[in-house]
Amino acid sequence: MINTVEAKSIKMDIDTQVAPYYRAVGKEAEIFKHTYSSRIPFLLKGPTGTGKSRFIEFMAHELNQQLITVSCHEETSSTDLIGRYIIKGAETVWMDGPLTIAVKTGAILYLDEIAEARPDVIVAIHSLTDHRRELFIDKLGTTIKAHPHFMLVASFNPGYQRGFKELKPSTRQRFVAISFNYPEAKAEAEILAKETNILEADAKKLVNIANKIRNLTELGLTETVSTRLLVDAAKLMRSGLPKRLAVHSAVVEPLTDDLEVIEALNDLCDLMI
């Protein structure tokens, strides 16, 4: 069962029992299972769109555990995670946040892009990332011992705005960590074909385009072509949108606002598809 939790309000979307598609590229599933059984926090490092969130969804399904995901941003605070008092009718009542819910129920809590959150979030989770495995709720003056099945998982992009939004070494060392990157060409083409039912030949062309752009470091792109962008392009192509137009809108345009770079990338893509 997979629940999605927004930082400012709790929104639960219960997934079906169909397993999320995920293609392993190494020993990541084995490492995760051993980390889960050892009750150690888990950290995913890597660029956006490389399958980090999909991997966690897949592992939660494999372990038959509830998953609560928090998409962190610059305004995500410890209060958003732990909980707050709210006005309900004529009463003031306490409402647990996603972290507290996960600690109590034994869910897997996934903090997506944790480095984006405010510093007090890191402080709030410290006692859950060592031998104590407990959560202190200062507004209630209580400490909650984590459920035996509770697991804390976080992700961040080490290359994004390097030096500005990094995790401190003292925080990283509280987690078992693995690195995600773009799959090798054959595996990435298989992912596109499986995910979108696109023709294998078209999947290979999209991957070739992605790898070409990924190697164009002189363009100075903040982010490069992710597998997620390729999936979007493949879906548009599968729906009947002309191939070049699909690539222009789903791959090139999301990468940059520089008109000259867009034109150059569009010309490159047109030659390859």
Side-chain angles (χ1 to χ4, degrees):
M1 183 166 59
I2 298 173
N3 294 342
T4 299
V5 183
E6 298 297 335
K8 288 296 183 182
S9 61
I10 299 177
K11 179 183 178 183
M12 301 290 188
D13 293 324
I14 300 177
D15 193 28
T16 65
Q17 295 304 308
V18 178
Y21 172 70
Y22 177 79
R23 187 194 186 283
V25 295
K27 299 292 185 181
E28 63 269 29
E30 181 180 354
I31 295 171
F32 187 92
K33 288 179 180 178
H34 282 275
T35 305
Y36 176 78
S37 64
S38 301
R39 305 295 184 260
I40 304 174
F42 197 80
L43 180 65
L44 305 173
K45 303 184 296 179
T48 183
T50 51
K52 300 188 295 294
S53 297
R54 177 62 65 88
F55 170 69
I56 294 303
E57 291 176 3
F58 173 77
M59 293 310 306
H61 187 276
E62 285 286 292
L63 295 168
N64 195 30
Q65 291 298 313
Q66 184 184 39
L67 173 65
I68 299 176
T69 297
V70 178
S71 298
C72 299
H73 52 77
E74 64 274 5
E75 294 184 3
T76 303
S77 68
S78 59
T79 297
D80 295 320
L81 296 184
I82 295 173
R84 52 167 49 89
Y85 283 104
I86 62 170
I87 305 297
K88 191 174 183 180
E91 298 181 301
T92 301
V93 298
W94 174 261
M95 183 179 71
D96 285 341
L99 175 59
T100 305
I101 293 172
V103 167
K104 287 181 176 179
T105 63
I108 296 173
L109 179 74
Y110 176 41
L111 300 178
D112 188 18
E113 299 295 351
I114 188 173
E116 297 288 324
R118 286 164 47 173
D120 63 327
V121 167
I122 303 299
V123 175
I125 66 172
H126 264 193
S127 58
L128 287 166
T129 58
D130 57 28
H131 66 282
R132 291 170 290 177
R133 281 178 55 85
E134 62 185 28
L135 174 65
F136 176 65
I137 305 178
D138 59 345
K139 292 181 180 178
L140 298 179
T142 60
T143 299
I144 304 173
K145 283 288 185 181
H147 188 286
H149 292 163
F150 168 76
M151 184 181 188
L152 179 64
V153 180
S155 72
F156 87 111
N157 182 352
Y160 179 65
Q161 295 185 348
R162 183 174 296 277
F164 177 63
K165 294 185 176 180
E166 289 281 353
L167 287 180
K168 294 180 180 179
S170 59
T171 299
R172 291 201 303 270
Q173 291 179 24
R174 292 172 175 267
F175 295 80
V176 167
I178 61 173
S179 295
F180 275 63
N181 212 322
Y182 306 112
E184 55 93 19
K186 182 179 178 181
E188 194 164 30
E190 289 178 7
I191 291 170
L192 295 184
K194 178 68 175 180
E195 188 81 8
T196 68
N197 291 321
I198 195 174
L199 293 176
E200 182 179 346
D202 288 334
K204 290 180 178 179
K205 289 178 181 179
L206 286 174
V207 171
N208 288 338
I209 288 173
N211 285 329
K212 184 68 174 180
I213 296 176
R214 289 165 185 166
N215 290 325
L216 295 176
T217 55
E218 67 273 12
L219 292 179
L221 298 173
T222 303
E223 296 281 355
T224 190
V225 182
S226 67
T227 304
R228 179 187 298 135
L229 291 185
L230 296 184
V231 169
D232 290 343
K235 287 179 178 178
L236 292 179
M237 291 166 58
R238 188 75 175 85
S239 72
L241 192 68
K243 296 176 183 179
R244 289 180 175 178
L245 185 56
V247 172
H248 291 178
S249 56
V251 176
V252 175
E253 288 287 350
L255 291 178
T256 180
D257 296 322
D258 188 309
L259 295 181
E260 291 185 0
V261 175
I262 289 174
E263 184 178 0
L265 290 177
N266 280 338
D267 290 343
L268 171 67
C269 294
D270 288 349
L271 293 173
M272 299 182 69
I273 195 167

